[in-house]
Amino acid sequence: RDKVKFAPSEGKRKIYIIDEVHMLTNEAFNALLKTLEEPPEHVLFILATTDPQKIPLTILSRCQRFDFRKINTTEIRDHLALITVSENISITEDALNTVSRKASGGMRDAISILDQCIAFAGERIESSHVQLVLGTLGEEDMIELMNQVIAVNYGQMFMSLYHYLAQGKDVKQIIRDLMEYARQLLLLKVAPQEEM
């Protein structure tokens, strides 16, 4: 409250970013409200939260709200394809799809994974390179493992898991991949026309 009164020494505005604003105490919200009721012209507040319902209505009523969403896989794949073309990187369609899916809706994560793949494989990226970088199973391995689970063939499933762990795969990543694969199968059964 004390610093907000002073004009910025550089630029036209002072910008205050309050991350996880829903974690503020009632006293802190009251102090913020006093500033938001009559904010100086040179001040801009950015309140970021994952729980907007925990912010008092008196604060929310004085804010413009912008809801961010995850980016769908198609948009991520298309953008990564543009990057690879502009950088003269050759990447297979399977590898591009895997990177796009593993980014979980985050463009920054997708670009970061792509950078790691380029550092690992060079200018020609294949699906096997992406799997090695991410520590994930290939699609054929995932189908085989899921079929073993469905067939209640636990002996073979544990042998497969032992084989993957011996290759250096992470058991937590395998479980996450299995859960994501089961989710995709369920979505495909319920809504086959939707993008996953």
Side-chain angles (χ1 to χ4, degrees), residues 53-71:
Q53 65 275 6
K54 290 184 179 178
I55 300 173
L57 289 174
T58 52
I59 301 286
L60 283 176
S61 66
R62 290 163 172 81
C63 296
Q64 289 181 356
R65 182 170 171 165
F66 299 96
D67 290 319
F68 295 99
R69 63 168 177 80
K70 290 185 175 185
I71 303 169

Side-chain angles (χ1 to χ4, degrees), residues 63-181:
C63 296
Q64 289 181 356
R65 182 170 171 165
F66 299 96
D67 290 319
F68 295 99
R69 63 168 177 80
K70 290 185 175 185
I71 303 169
N72 73 39
T73 306
T74 304
E75 290 177 82
I76 292 175
R77 185 178 55 236
D78 292 346
H79 188 70
L80 292 180
L82 285 173
I83 291 172
T84 56
V85 167
S86 69
E87 297 293 323
N88 293 324
I89 303 294
S90 171
I91 185 167
T92 65
E93 198 65 31
D94 285 344
L96 199 58
N97 289 335
T98 302
V99 171
S100 302
R101 274 196 320 272
K102 291 299 177 186
S104 301
M107 188 64 74
R108 181 181 62 193
D109 293 341
I111 294 171
S112 176
I113 294 169
L114 181 62
D115 281 342
Q116 291 173 27
C117 292
I118 293 168
F120 177 76
E123 294 182 357
R124 177 149 182 76
I125 302 170
E126 297 182 10
S127 190
S128 59
H129 299 133
V130 177
Q131 292 165 19
L132 285 170
V133 166
L134 296 175
T136 61
L137 297 179
E139 195 165 333
E140 298 84 19
D141 295 333
M142 190 59 62
I143 291 169
E144 180 185 339
L145 194 57
M146 184 59 81
N147 286 338
Q148 292 166 357
V149 170
I150 292 169
V152 194
N153 188 350
Y154 295 131
Q156 188 60 44
M157 182 188 72
F158 283 116
M159 289 305 296
S160 295
L161 282 173
Y162 176 79
H163 173 71
Y164 299 140
L165 294 176
Q167 290 178 343
K169 305 289 184 191
D170 180 24
V171 72
K172 291 178 185 176
Q173 184 63 47
I174 292 171
I175 292 170
R176 280 193 294 267
D177 289 345
L178 271 175
M179 288 171 37
E180 177 60 25
Y181 187 69

